[in-house]
Each structure stands twice: as C-alpha cells, then as structure tokens.
C-alpha cells in the first residue's frame, strides 16, 4: 500500500525525484518516515563548460546500520520551455551503499537514467528514473517538490528508498 502512489506516478509518465536536474550548492537535514534523519549535501561541479553536479545523502540510523546515496548529474538541455515554464533535462548516475548491523555483506547499487526539472514560480518539481542493479535488475525512481525561500529550500520527496522525506536545505 505504501508503494501505490509512486508506482502510479511511474505509470503515468516521467517520475520525479528529490534533486533538480540542474546542480545547486546545498547543505541540509531531512527526516524520512521509517528511517529517521538524513544529512544531505549538493555541489555544483562545472566541468569543461558543462553544468554538472553531485548530491550526497547519508542516513546514519537506517535500520541499525548506515546508508549512503549519491546522484551525479549532467544537465544536457538546460533551457527548454513548456508553456511559460522553464524545464531542464539531463542524465543521472545513482550509486547506493547500505550496511546493516548483523548483515553478512553490505548492499551496493547503481542506476542510470534521465533527470528532469520543471520550474514553477518559487519552486521546482524534479524527475529521475533509472535502471540498474541492486541485488539484481532494479528500477530507481521518486517524486519530489522544492519550495525556495531564499536562502532556504523546503523539500518533500517520495522515492523507491523511502516513501516520504521532508528536508530543509540551505542554498549558497
């Protein structure tokens, strides 16, 4: 039942994620339902004139262990216009690591797929869906919304890793 909304969103088309397609410098804290506190950071890493970025998330209290998640992004089409709204499209490589206390071996995962962001007035709706491997063939997805209250952003997200995350991010 907890996964119905994300699966329906996936079937309706492009699925949204918790980080924009375009890189931002951020630092913040989040709270995930069922997995506790997350520490987050995002970095804008321009490379050869390309708009690239890296987002990191650490969940030190996840089910008695630790989880690390990272998404590297390359913004390929930064200036699309949908109606009167701006949109960015890119590619993302997601890497995951989870070590649980008492588990025999840590879990690794990697997913590759498109990212997209639709900019709304004072906010952004972002997209990521990726195919890859984590204990077998798997799909990574999510849906998220950011409200910008300069220099703070408030974020709500649903993903395949947790079904709800609330975050406060500082942007510089």
């Amino acid at each position: 039942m907890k996964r119905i909304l994300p699966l329906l969103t996936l079937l309706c088309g492009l699925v949204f994620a918790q980080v924009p397609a375009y890189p931002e410098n951020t630092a913040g804290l989040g709270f995930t339902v069922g997995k506790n506190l997350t520490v987050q950071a995002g970095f804008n890493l321009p490379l050869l004139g390309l708009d690239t970025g890296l987002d990191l998330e650490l969940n030190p209290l996840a089910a008695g262990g630790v989880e690390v998640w990272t998404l590297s992004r390359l913004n390929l089409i930064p200036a699309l216009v949908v109606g009167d709204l701006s949109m960015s499209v890119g590619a993302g490589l997601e890497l995951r690591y989870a070590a649980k206390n008492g588990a025999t071996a840590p879990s690794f995962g990697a997913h590759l797929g498109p990212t997209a962001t639709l900019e709304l007035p004072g906010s952004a709706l972002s997209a990521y869906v990726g195919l890859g491997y984590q204990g077998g063939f798997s799909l990574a997805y999510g849906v998220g919304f950011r409200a910008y209250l300069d220099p703070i952003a408030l974020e709500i997200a649903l993903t395949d890793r947790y079904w709800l995350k609330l975050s406060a991010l500082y942007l510089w």
Side-chain angles (χ1 to χ4, degrees):
M1 195 69 175
K2 294 179 187 177
R3 304 274 183 185
I4 289 176
L5 181 59
L7 290 175
L8 288 177
T9 304
L10 176 64
L11 294 175
C12 291
L14 190 59
V15 182
F16 297 98
Q18 65 275 16
V19 294
Y22 50 85
E24 296 178 316
N25 291 321
T26 62
L29 293 174
F31 179 78
T32 61
V33 174
K35 291 191 178 182
N36 301 320
L37 185 70
T38 62
V39 179
Q40 300 165 238
F43 304 98
N44 184 356
L45 305 167
L47 177 66
L48 303 174
L50 299 173
D51 202 8
T52 62
L54 176 70
D55 276 271
L56 301 168
E57 184 176 297
L58 174 65
N59 191 337
L61 304 173
V66 65
E67 288 182 359
V68 179
W69 174 86
T70 181
L71 178 64
S72 301
R73 295 179 320 287
L74 173 62
N75 198 7
L76 299 172
I77 307 172
L80 287 173
V81 177
V82 177
D84 291 335
L85 303 173
S86 297
M87 184 174 183
S88 298
V89 176
L93 172 63
E94 179 197 66
L95 301 174
R96 301 175 181 196
Y97 169 82
K100 302 201 185 316
N101 293 340
T104 56
S107 169
F108 294 95
H111 299 88
L112 179 66
T115 62
T117 299
L118 181 63
E119 294 181 32
L120 305 168
S123 60
L125 197 54
S126 297
Y128 171 76
V129 63
L131 296 175
Y133 178 85
Q134 185 167 1
F137 179 76
S138 64
L139 179 69
Y141 60 88
V143 61
F145 176 78
R146 263 188 196 177
Y148 292 101
L149 311 165
D150 287 330
I152 301 292
L154 301 177
E155 175 181 86
I156 185 168
L158 304 163
T159 75
D160 63 309
R161 294 177 295 124
Y162 38 73
W163 67 273
L164 180 65
K165 180 181 77 171
L166 303 170
S167 302
L169 302 168
Y170 175 75
L171 299 122
W172 72 89

